[in-house]
Amino acid sequence: MKTELGTQFGIDVPIYAFSHCRDVVAAVTKAGGLGVLGAAWMTPDELAMSIDWIEKQVDGKPFGVDLVFPGTGGDEKSPEEYLKQIPEGHLSFVKKLLDDAGVSDMSEADRNAYMAEYATKMAMTNKKSQEQLDVVLSKPVSCVVGALGVTPDWVVKQAHSRGIKVGALVGSGRHAAKQKDAGVDFLVAQGTEAGGSVGSIASMVLWPQVVEGARGLPVLAAGGVTRGSHILAALALGCQGVWIGSLWLGTAESDLNMEMREKLFRSESEDATLSFAMTGKQCRILNTDYMKAWNRPDAPKPLKWPMQSILGGYPFKRAERSHNMDYWSYSVGQAIGDMKGHTTVKGEFERLLNEYLESLEALNARTSYE
Amino acid sequence: MKTELGTQFGIDVPIYAFSHCRDVVAAVTKAGGLGVLGAAWMTPDELAMSIDWIEKQVDGKPFGVDLVFPGTGGDEKSPEEYLKQIPEGHLSFVKKLLDDAGVSDMSEADRNAYMAEYATKMAMTNKKSQEQLDVVLSKPVSCVVGALGVTPDWVVKQAHSRGIKVGALVGSGRHAAKQKDAGVDFLVAQGTEAGGSVGSIASMVLWPQVVEGARGLPVLAAGGVTRGSHILAALALGCQGVWIGSLWLGTAESDLNMEMREKLFRSESEDATLSFAMTGKQCRILNTDYMKAWNRPDAPKPLKWPMQSILGGYPFKRAERSHNMDYWSYSVGQAIGDMKGHTTVKGEFERLLNEYLESLEALNARTSYE
């Protein structure tokens, strides 16, 4: 089960974990995998503190940081400028939606504060990316992974100058070839079944297409991975490990709201659907009543990213404060169909490894029986 | 690579093929797999002739028939009754669409004749299913596979009384459990990346969920299968073989229009998209200009199945006659990204088996290196 990339990182098992939660990242690395902190929304200070905290936990073991690189966020704007751009019709649509559902409203000051908080988080600019990267470069981070678009030259150069590997998420074989040309060290092939911003090609089709497009670069398999047999399938399809996101939302180390977590456990894979109404980009999310409302004939067209995300700051916080999970949502993959209760990172590692060995034994029996 | 189900059928390699074309079915069976004829649209006479033709080719080797069972087609109507139900607005929408694109029109008589031809094909009633099944029961067919919904009790009983195995396509673990209770012998877990009528769960997530829901029934893996490494991945995920559809459209044995075939070869996996505008049900199809037009704000809502399919008889025949592939479409899976030129069934079998062995060797090297 050792792979070239895993050996280069010095990890025991080729399980790579994406999480916004530093506790998950540290627990994954301690369990023998490689945790990657989703930090695109963090200020440089938050990022520095999170990295320092993880470093103290992992005793020299490797971990990474996931960022979004320039060209995607546009010019820097103040939160107030973003708020001014939200059309009245969109605001009144979500207000009425939650009013009709009997979800308590909040003051206009609170509303604007929450949307401003989201605006600060979501506004990804060249300047912010460079500041985040500067933090990463000054810390003992093993890899930095770009989540959107072709990795800029300066990112690759600066990271390599500090011995930090560069990874990139891709959703097609064409993107794989472009990232290879951009000089990255490994790719994460993310199938459409993954949570959050995704393409349209499913993992079964995508993973080997990316392996081909990568022309020798190591590829990690992402999108729908929840089982030990998935690790075996990923290796069979030419990948060097798996990249897992959604599964950690059910662990004790996750900081996800407990009521949303329970709602995820009650959901099936079909309930993680594609929508533009979460962020303005194609995004796989839990298909709650809030998300469904955006498909109604009277619904406005979702705003462009990041405006639609910023708008969400108001209804989602309102629903969360009222403990009404039907008018909130969360980015999650089709993996949720396999998540049925509370777990721990260590427990999930043990399960994945046991299942992997069982699958390998069953496969060996099947493939040698001729 | 031998599996229990394959041994029961007496086939050499666990490659099962779905095709509307009897030449493909026979060639697959002759190559050591099991061809299954998609016959839902056939009259009993056409079905009987096709089966007799296949039987003569395959020298006693096994093949199957794929049908749609009752409850889905509703009452029997004459083609004229169906035509009367097509709203004028829908007809004028497609007429104007093709007029604007400069596609030659046809006479009203021809138009009605083509739609009536589609109406005869698409109208799937209890009576027609029973007549089709009667044909199957009287012939040396190894399996009958139900493509939509829970298999009725009478189908299972009648097939079993002739020693014919019953299979069923499923798109979720829940459906798998229902089919198991209905008494079928094997399942085909069809991921959303497949062509034609599909669910929403992708193969990577679906296949092992169906294996669990099947509680011991053999499961074949469908949706996105084009490579030998996919066969290995399917076995790793607990399946007993693969079920391949789209791939055969590029073979010399296929009867697909040659211009449409060339268009498929130029397409990528992202070009096989989900739409309700092909049949009225969720269907994965080649995303041509015709399909895109149905997403326009001025487009009417697609009719319910089978009316939307019947409507398609007019524009598709008109486009085909004018050699304009932009205003036709074809049900195809994300597999098209891997189909880049003309092949043969025998050549594809050789490629799949060689790739399978290469993948197995690479996997063995990877999984034993610890």
Side-chain angles (χ1 to χ4, degrees):
Chain A
M1 191 178 188
K2 282 219 171 88
T3 62
E4 275 176 59
L5 186 67
T7 303
Q8 288 170 23
F9 278 126
I11 57 175
D12 298 327
V13 287
I15 298 175
Y16 300 74
F18 172 88
S19 178
H20 292 295
C21 174
R22 65 187 189 182
D23 298 76
V24 170
V25 172
V28 164
T29 289
K30 282 158 74 176
L34 193 146
V36 178
L37 183 69
W41 300 341
M42 292 185 188
T43 64
D45 283 350
E46 286 168 344
L47 177 56
M49 281 192 294
S50 295
I51 292 175
D52 290 345
W53 185 90
I54 293 167
E55 197 203 339
K56 279 194 193 117
Q57 308 293 313
V58 298
D59 198 23
K61 288 183 172 179
F63 63 95
V65 174
D66 183 283
L67 294 174
V68 170
F69 294 115
T72 51
D75 300 329
E76 192 163 21
K77 291 193 190 88
S78 68
E80 291 70 30
E81 283 172 298
Y82 277 117
L83 293 202
K84 266 189 234 156
Q85 286 179 34
I86 292 184
E88 193 50 48
H90 283 71
L91 210 50
S92 60
F93 175 75
V94 297
K95 175 170 167 39
K96 183 166 184 315
L97 191 62
L98 274 72
D99 286 350
D100 290 350
V103 180
S104 308
D105 206 351
M106 53 176 67
S107 70
E108 201 180 313
D110 274 8
R111 183 179 86 190
N112 288 336
Y114 282 125
M115 288 199 294
E117 186 189 317
Y118 271 51
T120 306
K121 275 191 187 173
M122 301 294 165
M124 294 160 193
T125 62
N126 287 4
K127 185 165 163 281
K128 188 174 165 188
S129 288
Q130 178 67 70
E131 285 170 2
Q132 289 171 325
L133 186 64
D134 286 343
V135 171
V136 171
L137 295 173
S138 71
K139 305 278 179 186
V141 168
S142 293
C143 63
V144 57
V145 180
L148 278 177
V150 176
T151 314
D153 193 47
W154 56 269
V155 172
V156 176
K157 278 194 182 136
Q158 292 180 25
H160 284 174
S161 75
R162 302 296 178 109
I164 297 173
K165 282 191 194 299
V166 180
L169 260 73
V170 295
S172 77
R174 271 189 329 282
H175 293 162
K178 281 186 190 166
Q179 296 283 5
K180 160 94 179 176
D181 293 340
V184 307
D185 303 294
F186 66 97
L187 299 175
V188 181
Q190 189 185 41
T192 188
E193 47 270 72
S197 285
V198 290
S200 297
I201 308 178
S203 292
M204 193 60 67
V205 176
L206 179 71
W207 295 352
Q209 286 184 353
V210 169
V211 169
E212 278 183 2
R215 289 170 283 141
L217 277 191
V219 175
L220 301 177
V225 178
T226 58
R227 301 170 188 261
S229 58
H230 284 138
I231 304 176
L232 188 57
L235 297 180
L237 293 167
C239 300
Q240 294 207 13
V242 293
W243 171 277
I244 297 179
S246 302
L247 190 64
W248 315 117
L249 296 173
T251 63
E253 289 84 353
S254 165
D255 58 4
L256 178 63
N257 172 298
M258 202 53 81
E259 288 166 313
M260 179 54 80
R261 202 181 299 206
E262 294 284 352
K263 192 171 172 72
L264 294 186
F265 294 155
R266 289 191 302 272
S267 301
E268 300 299 335
S269 292
E270 300 96 310
D271 300 321
T273 53
L274 294 177
S275 173
F276 284 81
M278 185 80 175
T279 64
K281 291 181 189 283
Q282 177 167 279
C283 188
R284 192 174 294 281
I285 45 102
L286 185 66
N287 193 24
T288 59
D289 291 343
Y290 175 83
M291 302 316 303
K292 287 173 194 164
W294 286 90
N295 292 327
R296 286 184 350 208
D298 66 315
K301 219 180 134 194
L303 301 169
K304 285 209 184 306
W305 186 81
M307 301 305 297
Q308 186 73 10
S309 287
I310 295 168
L311 173 67
Y314 162 49
F316 289 177
K317 277 290 172 184
R318 193 172 150 183
E320 190 182 0
R321 279 164 44 149
S322 298
H323 305 279
N324 185 325
M325 297 298 106
D326 296 333
Y327 288 85
W328 188 18
S329 187
Y330 203 83
S331 290
V332 70
Q334 293 190 341
I336 50 169
D338 295 335
M339 295 160 54
K340 291 298 168 206
H342 298 280
T343 58
T344 63
V345 168
K346 191 158 173 282
E348 288 298 76
F349 261 73
E350 286 169 5
R351 179 181 64 76
L352 288 166
L353 292 177
N354 284 334
E355 286 177 1
Y356 166 81
L357 291 172
E358 282 166 18
S359 309
L360 182 59
E361 202 172 324
L363 182 67
N364 282 339
R366 190 156 276 170
T367 51
S368 61
Y369 168 50
E370 336 216 7
Chain B
M1 193 175 186
K2 283 220 170 89
T3 62
E4 274 175 60
L5 187 66
T7 304
Q8 288 170 22
F9 278 125
I11 57 176
D12 299 326
V13 287
I15 298 176
Y16 300 75
F18 172 89
S19 178
H20 292 295
C21 174
R22 65 188 189 181
D23 299 76
V24 169
V25 172
V28 165
T29 288
K30 282 158 74 177
L34 194 145
V36 179
L37 183 69
W41 300 341
M42 292 184 187
T43 65
D45 283 350
E46 287 169 343
L47 178 55
M49 282 191 294
S50 295
I51 292 176
D52 291 344
W53 187 90
I54 293 168
E55 197 203 339
K56 280 195 192 115
Q57 308 293 314
V58 299
D59 197 24
K61 287 183 171 180
F63 63 95
V65 174
D66 184 284
L67 294 174
V68 169
F69 294 114
T72 51
D75 301 329
E76 193 165 18
K77 291 192 190 88
S78 69
E80 292 69 30
E81 283 172 296
Y82 278 117
L83 293 202
K84 268 189 232 154
Q85 284 178 36
I86 293 185
E88 195 48 50
H90 283 71
L91 210 50
S92 60
F93 175 75
V94 296
K95 176 171 167 37
K96 183 167 186 314
L97 191 61
L98 274 71
D99 286 349
D100 291 350
V103 181
S104 308
D105 206 352
M106 54 177 66
S107 70
E108 200 179 313
D110 274 8
R111 182 180 86 190
N112 288 336
Y114 282 125
M115 288 199 294
E117 185 188 319
Y118 272 51
T120 307
K121 275 192 188 174
M122 301 294 166
M124 295 160 193
T125 63
N126 287 4
K127 184 164 164 282
K128 186 173 167 188
S129 289
Q130 178 68 69
E131 286 170 2
Q132 291 171 325
L133 187 64
D134 287 343
V135 171
V136 171
L137 295 173
S138 71
K139 304 278 178 188
V141 168
S142 294
C143 64
V144 57
V145 181
L148 277 177
V150 176
T151 315
D153 194 45
W154 57 269
V155 173
V156 177
K157 278 193 181 136
Q158 292 180 25
H160 283 174
S161 74
R162 302 295 178 111
I164 297 173
K165 282 190 193 299
V166 180
L169 259 74
V170 295
S172 76
R174 269 189 331 282
H175 293 163
K178 281 185 190 167
Q179 297 283 6
K180 159 94 179 175
D181 294 340
V184 307
D185 303 294
F186 67 96
L187 299 175
V188 182
Q190 190 185 40
T192 188
E193 47 271 72
S197 284
V198 290
S200 298
I201 308 179
S203 292
M204 193 60 67
V205 174
L206 179 71
W207 295 352
Q209 286 184 354
V210 170
V211 169
E212 278 183 1
R215 290 169 283 140
L217 278 190
V219 175
L220 301 177
V225 178
T226 58
R227 301 170 188 262
S229 58
H230 284 138
I231 304 176
L232 189 58
L235 298 179
L237 293 167
C239 299
Q240 293 206 15
V242 293
W243 172 276
I244 297 179
S246 302
L247 190 64
W248 315 117
L249 296 173
T251 64
E253 290 84 353
S254 166
D255 58 3
L256 178 63
N257 172 298
M258 203 52 82
E259 289 166 312
M260 179 54 80
R261 202 181 299 207
E262 295 284 352
K263 192 171 171 74
L264 295 186
F265 294 155
R266 289 191 302 273
S267 302
E268 300 298 335
S269 293
E270 300 97 309
D271 299 321
T273 54
L274 294 176
S275 173
F276 284 80
M278 185 81 174
T279 65
K281 291 180 188 281
Q282 177 168 281
C283 189
R284 192 174 294 280
I285 44 102
L286 185 66
N287 194 26
T288 59
D289 291 343
Y290 176 82
M291 303 316 303
K292 287 174 193 163
W294 286 90
N295 292 327
R296 285 182 352 205
D298 66 315
K301 218 179 135 195
L303 301 168
K304 286 211 184 303
W305 185 82
M307 301 306 296
Q308 185 73 11
S309 287
I310 295 169
L311 173 66
Y314 163 47
F316 289 177
K317 277 291 171 184
R318 192 173 151 184
E320 190 182 0
R321 279 163 46 149
S322 299
H323 305 279
N324 184 326
M325 297 297 108
D326 297 333
Y327 288 85
W328 187 18
S329 187
Y330 204 83
S331 289
V332 70
Q334 293 190 341
I336 48 168
D338 295 335
M339 294 160 54
K340 292 296 167 206
H342 298 280
T343 58
T344 63
V345 168
K346 190 158 174 283
E348 287 299 76
F349 261 73
E350 286 169 3
R351 180 182 63 78
L352 288 165
L353 293 177
N354 284 334
E355 286 177 2
Y356 167 81
L357 291 172
E358 283 167 17
S359 308
L360 182 59
E361 201 171 325
L363 182 68
N364 282 338
R366 192 157 275 169
T367 51
S368 61
Y369 168 49
E370 336 218 3

